[in-house]
Amino acid sequence: MSMKSVLVLRDLTKKSTKHVQAIIKYADSQKGYSLMEAFIALTVLLMLSSLIPLLFIPIQKPPPITQLEETSLFFSMLGKEIREGKSIEVNNNSLSVTLSNGNVLNFSRYHSLIRKQVNGFGHEVWVQNISEMVLKKHSDALFAVKLIDTQGKEYERYFRRIE
């Protein structure tokens, strides 16, 4: 390598170093953010904020027990049908309510459901997740309905007909 080429190389290195130093000095003198830096910061913020709901999963309350609510509503609606009915018959674990217009409502267990049928037709689900329905007639005016859900919990209510 000749002396001339070494001097040229040194001059190029000095010029390159001066250019790099000038760029660094310019970048240091800038006080704001670039648009790209803002997008990157926003993206990181959104990704982190999407993880926040996962932190609350262990402290959330379990959902309310809907079986109790559904069974209470069933007993309430059944009481309304019994009050409006002319006569009630209990046979074969099925409850038949004869209305004043002649229609016969039948409440029976169908698989894991309690369903209502009108004159033997229809399939209106009144309660779900029931493993057993027990009807006991104590007298002409008093009978009991006991439901056992698929979890084994029992719900019982007495109904009295006032004529």
Side-chain angles (χ1 to χ4, degrees):
M1 205 177 212
S2 72
M3 186 65 148
K4 190 175 184 182
S5 58
V6 169
L7 289 175
V8 170
L9 188 59
R10 192 176 356 155
D11 286 342
L12 285 176
T13 307
K14 283 182 181 179
K15 285 182 183 178
S16 297
T17 306
K18 285 182 182 178
H19 284 304
V20 170
Q21 288 173 347
I23 291 171
I24 291 173
K25 187 176 181 181
Y26 176 75
D28 286 342
S29 69
Q30 297 298 312
K31 301 294 183 201
Y33 290 105
S34 70
L35 186 59
M36 187 55 72
E37 289 172 326
F39 281 137
I40 291 171
L42 183 62
T43 303
V44 169
L45 178 69
L46 289 175
M47 286 177 20
L48 290 176
S49 66
S50 69
L51 297 175
I52 289 175
L54 297 176
L55 299 174
F56 293 110
I57 288 176
I59 58 175
Q60 286 179 346
K61 290 185 214 175
I65 300 172
T66 57
Q67 187 67 40
L68 177 62
E69 295 170 3
E70 189 176 0
T71 306
S72 297
L73 182 62
F74 166 73
F75 285 142
S76 175
M77 295 301 290
L78 183 62
K80 177 184 173 283
E81 296 292 352
I82 290 170
R83 285 190 301 276
E84 292 176 358
K86 276 178 40 180
S87 66
I88 285 101
E89 291 182 32
V90 175
N91 53 1
N92 244 3
N93 270 344
S94 134
L95 176 67
S96 299
V97 179
T98 305
L99 300 176
S100 57
N101 62 7
N103 287 339
V104 177
L105 306 178
N106 188 29
F107 298 91
S108 60
R109 188 171 71 85
Y110 179 76
H111 299 294
S112 66
L113 309 170
I114 302 296
R115 71 176 178 181
K116 172 185 165 185
Q117 293 181 303
V118 180
N119 296 327
F121 296 105
H123 178 80
E124 184 179 341
V125 176
W126 277 40
V127 186
Q128 302 179 62
N129 303 320
I130 299 297
S131 65
E132 192 174 349
M133 179 172 83
V134 179
L135 301 168
K136 293 180 186 172
K137 191 169 186 177
H138 296 285
S139 67
D140 287 339
L142 180 68
F143 66 95
V145 178
K146 181 165 122 178
L147 300 178
I148 303 171
D149 67 10
T150 54
Q151 306 289 317
K153 186 161 176 139
E154 296 182 4
Y155 308 92
E156 186 171 18
R157 182 154 173 201
Y158 288 85
F159 295 93
R160 180 181 301 274
R161 288 254 323 130
I162 301 173
E163 297 184 31

